[in-house]
Amino acid sequence: MARTVFRNAKVFDGHRVRSDDTVVVHEGRIESVGRGLPAPAGSDVVECDGGTLLPGLIDAHTHIVGPALRQALVWGVTTELDMANFPEPMAAAKKEQDGPLGSRVADLRSAGCAATVPGGHGSERFPHIPTLTEPEEAPGFVDARIAEGSDYIKIHYDDGQLAGRLEETELPVIRKETMAAVIAAARERGMLTLVHTGTVRAALDAVESGAHGLAHLLVDHAPGREFGEVLARHGAFAVPTLSMIELLSGSSELGALAEDPDVAVHLAAEERELLGRHRAGTARRLPVDLSAAMAAVRSAHAAGVPLLAGTDAVMWLHGIGLHRELELLVRAGLTPGEALTAATATPAALFSLSDRGRIAPGLRADLLLVGGDPTADIRASRAVRGVWKRGIGVERQPGEAQAG
């Protein structure tokens, strides 16, 4: 296989901008990184023209439906971390990674079925999924998820307040003791645990019970400094999913995405319609508070809590939604470089994906080339000029092709 040489690039390695301007890729791996490196005979040369070369992005909270993994890859999201799904399609999608079509879809990890109670969040719509109620059931529940291929464990805890308001009903919720038992069983088996919460109190309960991370910062009110301090004291991380909160709020500002020429051509028809409703102010508005979630981000960030970029994308906006998430993280107080790290090196480290998330010799050549400098203006991340997965260039089709 011929080498690919990226030259005249600004290189963001997952943590910082390097002084290097050349990256050499061979057999799906980064072979070398340096300044002015020569292109070996027969190499394919990519002239970056001063654009920025980034590690492939990692969306730390998604739900894979239909062509989601193809849509994500178009936007340079080379790995998606699914946070609740059915085990059979997840197994099939993972198998596809190693087949001839693997270079056309983002990599996948999944929690499989999330822990919830009968009639609770998730099981109210899919009553056949596994559930539990008592702490004694936790070890068996975790063992079953591991047997099904789950890469980590997700728990729906105390979602009654938020989900009840959204569905205009009252949902039963898992008890704190049962949540804690699931966390303990997962930790005993070396499994990472993430908890979906809807309130500040529930989030604190989760981390105080030993959860590794919060799958959302869906908070019922703006927390103070102590919120982040508690998370930091317990060594927890958080995936804010600000873009999902913005979507649920019916934000008209979100609709402006479709007016960006770098974005519009790669949107599926359904996505254009969705963004059009937001722009027109006719999208459904649910009682979520983006400003409160941003306050939670600021509290966590000030305390040094690791933050991961994630979208909670389900039907639409896979890929482009992560670029919007980066913008919202910057608005909440992160620097552009910190936001990019939240979508690259940090999720790779916390989810033990040691072969990706950075640009360094020996790592996978999952790469994203954008015009401009997103470390100065985060919106430049949208100006995608090329995507490579394991060193293979991704063909970026117009939006309609992505929806099929």
Side-chain angles (χ1 to χ4, degrees):
M1 180 183 294
R3 287 171 171 80
T4 301
V5 178
F6 299 84
R7 64 187 182 191
N8 190 25
K10 183 186 293 288
V11 178
F12 178 80
D13 67 3
H15 292 287
R16 61 182 176 87
V17 175
R18 303 173 63 110
S19 60
D20 307 301
D21 65 0
T22 307
V23 175
V24 180
V25 169
H26 185 51
E27 295 184 345
R29 297 274 172 174
I30 297 169
E31 184 175 72
S32 56
V33 183
R35 188 159 193 85
L37 298 177
S43 298
D44 295 323
V45 177
V46 178
E47 295 288 357
C48 300
D49 298 324
T52 303
L53 193 65
L54 306 157
L57 305 180
I58 300 171
D59 190 330
H61 188 143
T62 68
H63 300 276
I64 306 306
V65 178
L69 295 176
R70 295 200 299 277
Q71 292 171 331
L73 192 60
V74 164
W75 292 103
V77 178
T78 52
T79 302
E80 290 216 338
L81 305 179
D82 183 278
M83 283 296 154
N85 219 311
F86 303 108
E88 294 82 4
M90 294 299 95
K94 288 179 182 179
K95 186 176 181 181
E96 188 178 29
Q97 305 294 318
D98 298 322
L101 299 180
S103 63
R104 296 174 53 189
V105 294
D107 250 23
L108 172 68
R109 301 292 185 276
S110 178
C113 296
T116 189
V117 295
H121 186 56
S123 66
E124 88 284 16
R125 295 186 179 180
F126 304 103
H128 60 288
I129 65 173
T131 58
L132 75 167
T133 54
E134 300 301 325
E136 294 77 15
E137 301 172 73
F141 180 89
V142 173
D143 287 340
R145 305 291 74 73
I146 293 172
E148 289 172 346
S150 293
D151 298 292
Y152 37 86
I153 300 298
K154 167 85 174 295
I155 305 168
H156 289 138
Y157 171 66
D158 199 5
D159 189 56
Q161 195 243 23
L162 178 66
R165 282 159 52 195
L166 300 189
E167 303 296 335
E168 297 183 351
T169 185
E170 185 171 338
L171 297 180
V173 297
I174 201 167
R175 297 189 352 252
K176 181 178 179 180
E177 295 78 8
T178 304
M179 173 191 66
V182 174
I183 293 170
R187 280 184 171 272
E188 288 172 3
R189 291 154 176 78
M191 296 288 281
L192 201 68
T193 58
L194 296 97
V195 182
H196 169 122
T197 61
T199 66
V200 170
R201 182 64 258 167
L204 296 177
D205 282 351
V207 299
E208 289 167 355
S209 296
H212 293 93
L214 299 175
H216 296 285
L217 288 182
L218 274 172
V219 293
D220 50 333
H221 63 272
R225 184 179 63 185
E226 68 283 353
F227 177 78
E229 292 173 347
V230 173
L231 269 58
R233 187 161 62 249
H234 289 278
F237 64 81
V239 189
T241 64
L242 298 175
S243 52
M244 182 275 294
I245 300 170
E246 181 186 46
L247 178 73
L248 294 180
S249 74
S251 165
S252 60
E253 183 182 342
L254 178 62
L257 272 179
E259 298 174 3
D260 184 333
D262 285 316
V263 173
V265 68
H266 292 292
L267 292 174
E270 296 88 346
E271 293 173 323
R272 289 197 297 272
E273 292 172 6
L274 172 70
L275 294 174
R277 291 195 296 274
H278 279 266
R279 192 62 171 163
T282 59
R284 185 185 180 196
R285 296 177 181 271
L286 299 177
V288 293
D289 187 348
L290 181 59
S291 64
M294 285 190 164
V297 170
R298 287 190 289 273
S299 177
H301 185 233
V305 173
L307 296 172
L308 286 66
T311 61
D312 200 12
V314 183
M315 297 295 295
W316 305 289
L317 303 182
H318 282 266
I320 184 55
L322 189 60
H323 293 270
R324 179 60 176 170
E325 183 74 22
L326 296 178
E327 295 176 50
L328 294 174
L329 287 172
V330 170
R331 190 176 298 179
L334 277 67
T335 67
E338 288 171 337
L340 292 169
T341 297
T344 54
T346 300
L350 290 173
F351 280 82
S352 300
L353 302 173
S354 59
D355 61 349
R356 68 196 73 188
R358 294 176 293 120
I359 293 179
L363 300 189
R364 282 171 56 124
D366 290 353
L367 299 168
L368 166 63
L369 175 64
V370 303
D373 181 5
T375 67
D377 177 2
I378 195 62
R379 288 165 62 94
S381 75
R382 300 178 185 176
V384 176
R385 298 293 175 259
V387 178
W388 292 261
K389 182 184 175 189
R390 290 183 176 174
I392 299 174
V394 174
E395 186 176 355
R396 302 184 75 227
Q397 298 287 346
E400 286 78 8
Q402 305 308 318

